[in-house]
Amino acid sequence: MKLFKGFGHQTEENKPTEGERTNHTPIPLDENLVSNMKKIRAAFAKSSDIVIREVVVGNKYKRRLVLIYTDGLVNTQVIDESILEPLTVHMEEKFDDIQTQSAEKVFQFLYTSVVASGGIKSVKDFSELFVEVLSGNTVILTEDYHKALSISTPGWKDRGVGETEVQNVIRGSREAFSETIRTNTALVRRRIKDENLCCEQQILGRKTKTTIVIMYIQGVVEEGVIQEVKERLGRIDIDGILESGYIEEMIQDESLTPFPTVYNTERPDVVAANLLEGRVAILVDGTPFVLLVPAIFGQFFQAPEDYYQRPDIATLIRIIRYASFFIALLGPSLYIAVTTFHQEMLPTQLLISLAAQREGVPFPAFVEACVMEVTFEILREAGIRMPRPMGQATSIVGALVIGQSAVEAGFISAAMVIVVSVTAISNFVFPAYDMAISVRMLRFVMMMFAASFGLFGITMALLALVLHLCSLRSFGVPYMSAFAPFDRAGQKDMIMRAPLWSIRKRPSMLTKRNKIRNTTPKPEKPGPTD
């Protein structure tokens, strides 16, 4: 029975040790090159893409160096021109002079004078050496010294900077993040050319060793938020981080909620704007989606082009988004409640028309709505997963054919098809896909309350929803900030978008430091000319 002790949970006997959590304890490099190479070859014994190349430098005094890199992750031209050529051609005589001195002098000579590369650092242990090799860098080991050189030589193929595919705008930048983290940090740097923009790097994932970068503006963001982000990231102990969604799920404040408490975006201009407001960005290598914290409810209804157009246009569009939120959330449930429990609320002619449509329908309104909603969700998912050239056409044609056929067959009333169609279209208005998914899930809950208790059930469900929203927090910031607790200054950029010259302070719920961000005076009409 001892074999099964602790199965399914951790005990003192089966709890992973610190060494197991970090894959292995750091082992320092040896001064003996042969010993180091034995351990390296043993580690990469079954990795055919790891290249180990020995080089002998010097004419009179020969010294052996070993280059290690991963084929496919490095730029071989950089290795030839910046490493091998200086070592074997240009520095032969100088090597003969320096090699009569200590191994440390030789190492420093390589570090400062030989390798013609911008990114270079020393490596002290094997775990760090493995990470450098597998990250696209070239490592050089020398004889009789306990350190190695890591030279930046990345050369893998990436997608480059393309156009946005999810968060599209009519007016504004078309640039989107890519899967390469240094490209992403550069896109943000292009927009914020300030020395206080900090980029702190971490490595997460015991196996994947994924690079994570935390970006924030020193002096604008609250120190407590930075510390909280670092603590939550430090608590992550997992084999691999393959996408920013892994981190989002493990650092969010509340897991039992349908609403997103971490904002994600693929647009560099959105990240720059949020950093200027006092938020923290989390960039993950291998994904074009960047996380932003803290996140609030109103943030998911804001689009980048709200700030690129006139304030009256932006305000009108935001009102449409909030109206679409309630239509997408309550459309089918209101129809179910009114047609099932509150027919007296309808005009007589409309009531007679609906009754005539439903005369041959064998199912109650709730079953109708569920069938149509589930069918539409299946069509939407099929349109996403199918090949792009035929996915959109299939979903549209499928919806038209199925809807018309269902009405003609008498399974569904025409009014229900109209309600579900308007609801589905309203769901596409949200700039943030995460919020749209939340509304889609809550719609079914509202339909069940409407089918059970009518408008009274919808009212109770809405009250519970509001209480739940007011109880949420994102990194210590109330989720409904500017609405509850009410912030008069924050209302300038919530439902309405005030003129930019009037938005003089950063959001008070995000930061209490460096509040003033705009001192532009109000535009004035020019006086009469002579």
Side-chain angles (χ1 to χ4, degrees), residues 46 58 63 116 122 147 155-156 242 266 296 313 324 351 389 507:
K46 298 182 179 181
R63 180 175 289 270
S122 61
K147 291 183 182 180
W156 58 79
L242 302 179
E266 62 172 349
I296 60 175
I313 298 176
S324 299
L351 181 61

Side-chain angles (χ1 to χ4, degrees), residues 259-299:
F259 294 97
T261 55
V262 177
Y263 189 85
N264 68 80
T265 180
E266 62 172 349
R267 298 183 59 88
D269 55 345
V270 173
V271 173
N274 282 271
L275 290 176
L276 292 171
E277 285 189 344
R279 289 185 173 89
V280 178
I282 303 173
L283 292 80
V284 182
D285 192 21
T287 175
F289 289 92
V290 175
L291 306 180
L292 291 166
V293 294
I296 60 175
F297 181 76
Q299 183 180 358

Side-chain angles (χ1 to χ4, degrees), residues 28 185 260 287 372:
T185 56
T287 175
M372 288 300 297

Side-chain angles (χ1 to χ4, degrees), residues 213-231:
V213 171
I214 305 171
M215 296 190 76
Y216 58 89
I217 300 179
Q218 188 72 38
V220 173
V221 67
E222 289 287 340
E223 291 294 336
V225 174
I226 301 173
Q227 294 302 321
E228 184 67 21
V229 170
K230 292 179 180 178
E231 288 179 7

Side-chain angles (χ1 to χ4, degrees), residues 416-492:
M416 179 59 74
V417 174
I418 295 173
V419 170
V420 172
S421 300
V422 173
T423 302
I425 294 172
S426 300
N427 216 96
F428 290 115
V429 175
F430 304 122
Y433 182 70
D434 290 349
M435 184 60 69
I437 296 177
S438 302
V439 175
R440 285 158 58 183
M441 291 190 297
L442 291 172
R443 188 186 305 149
F444 288 94
V445 178
M446 290 293 179
M447 288 163 53
M448 288 189 289
F449 274 90
S452 302
F453 307 104
L455 292 179
F456 177 75
I458 294 176
T459 303
M460 296 304 296
L462 283 176
L463 288 174
L465 183 63
V466 171
L467 291 174
H468 174 70
L469 285 170
C470 292
S471 68
L472 295 178
R473 287 181 174 268
S474 177
F475 286 78
V477 176
Y479 194 60
M480 295 298 292
S481 290
F483 295 119
F486 182 78
D487 181 13
R488 183 177 179 182
Q491 296 303 315
K492 292 183 177 181

